[in-house]
């Protein structure tokens, strides 16, 4: 394949096969021929001198386009539409005299563009929905994963990883609404003559306006359009192009915002775009994991937003019924806009399908900044002490020092270096969730068991429980199981798990009724230990649950 001619990167690198086919010469000129067939059929059915045999011959030669003949003819007549009328006539000689009867060039050029643009928008709609679906799954998965929020790109209040993704989703859903609006309001040009007055058809149909309207209705319906523009010049209103590219620009804006956020978060390794097994991050620094997909999204989105400016500038300078200074610009800006939007959404699908959250780094960043957030709040005269929270997890999330000691004596020699290093690191790490490479086998054997009778002289887990029970912690964060267990302890007269005077934040609290049913056989507040516990705590001091 010769490579001594320029080729558009949108075609050679980025756009999908579907979009490349949609804007190909075959699709464009075959659509012209389908429009000529529809015109001839309508004229035949409404009584003009067009025979059924001529319509059939035209219909039989929609796809066998002789591009060499068309190109040679265009060089002679300097008119692309008339060159293709001539070429079509060569393929269907009996119908040569009735091809394009009564029509002007914009009958095929503009109607074909509207048909192609509508199909392009429908395809982009599917791609947009795929991105939203990926983000929806991501947001659901990480809806309860706390992370540091940023305003002005400075540490601010806490959000969750999933909630941040819903910001991106909301933008894209706004684009979906706009795209649906554009699709719902697309109209057909029809066959309107040189200035939009249908003068040539008034002659052909002897002034019968109803037949002319019926002809346009039939042609529009054949291509799936319910309405034609009520008035027009020779072309359809170029405001349509402005509306379409404006919609694509909106998609680019949303994609850019999302990709830029991911790039910033990847700098701190909190969030990472997919990275293939054989991918090379940098030619000079192979260890790097550059966010190249998100960078490409931003790059292409910037081009698309700039490309969208062509349409309003073109729409604003159309003179009276028609001027031809739109043609060359539209040949480039409209297809390139669709191909670029396609490329952006394909990349967005790839990124959102494989987004990776480094939860340990997210948690580390959170712990690093919480003291500063607390100090900032303490500047408020109503807050006199730092705001501290104790995070409570189930026993299986923590290291049992005695079980770790026994396991280290039995297992480390048979392990590979990475697993061995991770296992030994537990001597300094209590929370098992902070380890990334620990095997499930090791985790099960070193975690605090359900019934703990540890005799370790300096048990870190017991020290952790004692620390969490200190009154200086205003918040106790736990899941519904631990909360219910605390309520049952209190009802049974056992030692409470959570301290009395505190605010408890229950993760996945919506699961509390189901957990209560499984544990105590009811979820009715009137008979549940949950509500008795709430009353008791209020008596002990300020608290809420």
């Amino acid at each position: 394949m010769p490579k001594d001619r320029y080729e558009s990167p949108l075609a050679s690198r980025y756009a999908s096969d579907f979009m490349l086919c949609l804007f190909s010469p075959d699709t464009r000129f075959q659509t012209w021929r389908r429009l000529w067939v529809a015109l001839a059929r309508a004229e035949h059915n409404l009584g003009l001198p067009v025979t059924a045999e001529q319509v059939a011959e035209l219909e039989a030669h929609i796809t066998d386009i002789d591009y060499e003949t068309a190109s040679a003819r265009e060089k002679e007549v300097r008119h692309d539409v008339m060159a293709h009328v001539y070429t079509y006539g060569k393929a269907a000689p009996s119908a040569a005299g009735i091809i394009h009867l009564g029509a002007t060039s914009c009958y095929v050029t503009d109607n074909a563009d509207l048909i192609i643009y509508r199909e392009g928008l429908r395809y982009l709609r599917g791609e947009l929905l795929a991105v939203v679906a990926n983000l929806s799954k991501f947001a659901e998965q990480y809806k309860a994963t706390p992370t540091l929020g940023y305003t002005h790109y400075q540490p601010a209040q806490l959000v969750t990883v999933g909630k941040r993704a819903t910001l991106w989703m909301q933008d894209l859903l706004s684009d979906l609404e706009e795209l649906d609006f554009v699709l719902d309001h697309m109209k057909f040009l029809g066959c309107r003559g040189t200035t939009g007055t249908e003068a040539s058809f008034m002659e052909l149909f002897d002034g019968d306006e109803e037949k002319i309207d019926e002809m346009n209705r039939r042609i529009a319906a054949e291509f799936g359009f319910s309405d034609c523009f009520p008035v027009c010049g020779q072309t359809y209103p170029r405001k349509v192009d402005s509306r379409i590219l404006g919609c694509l620009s909106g998609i680019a804006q949303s994609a850019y915002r999302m990709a830029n956020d991911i790039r910033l978060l990847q700098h701190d390794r909190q969030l990472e775009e997919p990275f293939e097994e054989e991918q090379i991050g940098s030619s000079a620094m192979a260890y790097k994991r550059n966010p190249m997909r998100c960078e490409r999204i931003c790059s292409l989105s910037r081009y698309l937003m700039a490309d969208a400016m062509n349409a309003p500038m073109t729409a604003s300078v159309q003179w009276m019924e028609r001027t031809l200074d739109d043609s060359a610009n539209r040949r480039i800006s409209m297809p390139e806009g669709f191909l670029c939007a396609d490329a952006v959404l394909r990349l967005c699908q790839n990124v959102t399908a494989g987004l990776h959250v480094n939860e340990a780094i997210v948690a580390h960043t959170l712990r690093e900044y919480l003291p500063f957030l607390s100090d900032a709040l303490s500047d408020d005269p109503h807050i006199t002490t730092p705001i501290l929270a104790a995070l409570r997890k189930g026993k299986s999330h923590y290291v049992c020092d005695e079980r770790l000691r026994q396991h280290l004596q039995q297992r480390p020699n048979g392990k590979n270096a990475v697993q061995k290093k991770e296992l030994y690191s537990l001597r300094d790490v209590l929370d098992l969730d902070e380890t990334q490479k620990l095997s499930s086998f090791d985790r099960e054997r070193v975690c605090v068991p359900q019934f703990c009778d540890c005799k370790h002289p300096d048990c870190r887990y017991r020290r952790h429980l004692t620390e969490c029970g200190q009154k200086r912690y205003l918040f106790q964060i736990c899941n519904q199981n631990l909360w219910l267990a605390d309520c049952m302890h209190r009802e049974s007269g056992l030692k409470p798990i959570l301290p009395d005077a505190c605010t408890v934040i229950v993760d996945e609290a919506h699961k509390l009724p189901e957990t209560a049913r499984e544990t105590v056989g009811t979820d009715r507040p009137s008979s549940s230990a949950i509500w008795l516990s709430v009353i008791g705590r209020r008596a002990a001091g300020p608290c809420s649950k």
Side-chain angles (χ1 to χ4, degrees):
M1 187 180 197
K3 289 291 183 180
D4 59 349
R5 295 292 185 272
Y6 174 78
E7 57 185 19
S8 168
L10 283 171
S12 62
R13 295 178 66 89
Y14 303 132
S16 66
D17 289 340
F18 176 90
M19 202 63 80
L20 292 174
C21 178
L22 184 63
F23 285 92
S24 68
D26 269 354
T27 299
R28 178 176 175 79
F29 296 122
Q30 286 176 23
T31 305
W32 284 13
R33 291 193 174 188
R34 289 168 55 212
L35 284 160
W36 278 319
V37 171
L39 175 62
R41 182 183 294 112
E43 290 174 335
H44 165 71
N45 291 333
L46 292 169
L48 291 188
V50 176
T51 67
E53 290 75 21
Q54 289 173 316
V55 176
E57 186 174 24
L58 289 174
E59 204 160 16
H61 293 281
I62 290 176
T63 60
D64 54 339
I65 301 173
D66 185 345
Y67 288 105
E68 291 184 4
T69 297
S71 179
R73 183 65 174 173
E74 186 175 352
K75 289 179 181 178
E76 296 175 11
V77 300
R78 308 290 294 177
H79 198 293
D80 57 346
V81 174
M82 294 314 297
H84 275 272
V85 168
Y86 173 83
T87 304
Y88 202 6
K90 289 291 186 182
S94 74
I98 58 93
I99 299 172
H100 202 65
L101 180 62
T104 188
S105 298
C106 288
Y107 167 67
V108 288
T109 57
D110 278 36
N111 284 313
D113 284 345
L114 289 168
I115 293 165
I116 290 170
Y117 298 162
R118 181 187 59 183
E119 292 308 306
L121 289 171
R122 287 172 174 171
Y123 183 76
L124 292 177
R125 186 180 192 277
E127 292 189 306
L128 183 56
L129 283 171
V131 178
V132 171
N134 288 344
L135 285 174
S136 178
K137 293 176 184 176
F138 180 85
E140 177 67 24
Q141 181 179 355
Y142 294 103
K143 65 183 179 182
T145 304
T147 188
L148 189 63
Y150 295 92
T151 57
H152 310 274
Y153 198 42
Q154 302 302 311
Q157 294 180 0
L158 305 188
V159 296
T160 71
V161 174
K163 190 269 181 182
R164 179 177 284 146
T166 63
L167 297 177
W168 308 331
M169 286 174 60
Q170 182 170 253
D171 287 348
L172 293 168
L173 287 171
S174 174
D175 299 325
L176 181 64
E177 291 177 3
E178 178 67 18
L179 194 154
D180 284 341
F181 179 87
V182 173
L183 277 172
D184 290 343
H185 289 78
M186 286 193 75
K187 294 180 173 64
F188 201 61
L189 172 63
C191 205
R192 314 300 281 274
T194 58
T195 57
T197 63
E198 301 166 342
S200 58
F201 289 102
M202 289 292 285
E203 290 186 22
L204 288 171
F205 285 105
D206 296 326
D208 191 334
E209 296 180 10
E210 179 54 38
K211 282 191 174 181
I212 298 171
D213 291 343
E214 179 62 21
M215 177 189 69
N216 279 314
R217 280 193 292 269
R218 292 187 181 194
I219 297 171
E222 192 165 328
F223 291 93
F225 288 86
S226 58
D227 296 302
C228 292
F229 288 99
V231 294
C232 61
Q234 187 179 119
T235 70
Y236 68 75
R238 294 304 182 227
K239 288 279 287 184
V240 174
D241 295 349
S242 182
R243 177 180 282 179
I244 290 172
L245 285 189
C247 175
L248 303 190
S249 172
I251 293 173
Q253 294 160 38
S254 301
Y256 197 121
R257 185 266 175 96
M258 177 186 74
N260 217 31
D261 281 356
I262 296 171
R263 290 168 64 191
L264 292 171
L265 292 167
Q266 184 155 335
H267 171 268
D268 302 323
R269 292 296 182 264
Q270 294 186 49
L271 193 64
E272 292 181 309
E273 68 173 35
F275 196 87
E276 309 298 337
E277 186 176 345
E278 301 297 328
Q279 184 175 328
I280 297 175
S282 166
S283 60
M285 296 164 283
Y287 59 86
K288 290 185 70 181
R289 295 171 69 104
N290 297 332
M292 47 80 92
R293 290 175 177 84
C294 286
E295 289 172 327
R296 189 177 300 160
I297 290 171
C298 293
S299 182
L300 290 170
S301 295
R302 194 163 59 244
Y303 172 83
L304 179 50
M305 287 184 278
D307 180 69
M309 289 302 297
N310 282 287
M313 288 191 288
T314 297
S316 67
V317 296
Q318 294 304 289
W319 296 352
M320 275 66 85
E321 281 68 45
R322 152 114 254 213
T323 179
L324 198 60
D325 67 347
D326 62 337
S327 179
N329 183 288
R330 293 178 65 254
R331 286 177 190 264
I332 301 169
S333 61
M334 295 301 292
E336 295 277 291
F338 274 92
L339 265 62
C340 193
D342 173 47
V344 167
L345 287 174
R346 293 180 74 207
L347 285 164
C348 287
Q349 286 181 65
N350 179 274
V351 169
T352 55
L355 269 181
H356 175 67
V357 179
N358 289 318
E359 296 189 58
I361 294 177
V362 170
H364 175 78
T365 305
L366 202 56
R367 288 194 301 273
E368 181 182 2
Y369 280 98
L370 272 176
F372 297 103
L373 296 176
S374 180
D375 290 344
L377 288 171
S378 296
D379 292 338
D380 189 313
H382 298 290
I383 300 174
T384 58
T385 58
I387 295 175
L388 299 175
L391 177 61
R392 302 271 193 156
K393 300 181 182 181
K395 293 180 179 179
S396 63
H397 292 269
Y398 297 103
V399 176
C400 172
D401 287 324
E402 181 60 24
R403 297 184 80 198
L404 174 63
R405 183 187 66 78
Q406 295 175 7
H407 192 57
L408 286 175
Q409 291 177 346
Q410 299 169 4
R411 294 290 300 169
N413 292 333
K415 293 194 165 293
N416 63 42
V418 174
Q419 291 178 332
K420 186 174 181 179
K421 181 179 179 181
E422 194 79 356
L423 194 57
Y424 274 97
S425 73
L426 296 180
R427 292 181 295 187
D428 301 312
V429 175
L430 177 63
D431 190 343
L432 288 169
D433 295 334
E434 294 185 14
T435 62
Q436 293 183 326
K437 299 182 176 63
L438 191 68
S439 69
S440 57
F441 175 85
D442 286 334
R443 186 183 178 111
E444 290 175 3
R445 279 153 184 78
V446 301
C447 70
V448 177
Q450 184 176 2
F451 300 103
C452 179
D453 57 352
C454 177
K455 300 299 189 295
H456 198 281
D458 189 23
C459 176
R460 286 181 294 159
Y461 175 64
R462 293 186 183 279
R463 276 193 285 129
H464 170 70
L465 294 181
T466 302
E467 172 65 19
C468 288
Q470 299 296 314
K471 291 184 178 180
R472 62 197 185 95
Y473 289 102
L474 299 183
F475 294 91
Q476 297 283 324
I477 304 172
C478 67
N479 65 16
Q480 80 280 3
N481 293 307
L482 194 60
W483 159 248
L484 187 60
D486 176 67
C487 295
M488 295 177 69
H489 270 228
R490 291 170 183 275
E491 187 179 38
S492 303
L494 300 175
K495 182 180 179 181
I497 299 174
L498 302 173
D500 283 335
C502 64
T503 296
V504 179
I505 301 172
V506 182
D507 183 27
E508 296 188 324
H510 63 284
K511 295 182 179 179
L512 195 52
E514 180 182 351
T515 306
R517 278 195 300 271
E518 294 175 354
T519 307
V520 298
T522 180
D523 61 351
R524 291 177 57 83
S526 60
S527 60
S528 174
I530 298 171
W531 303 101
L532 294 174
S533 176
V534 172
I535 295 170
R537 286 177 190 230
R538 285 180 178 162
C543 67
S544 63
K545 282 216 176 185

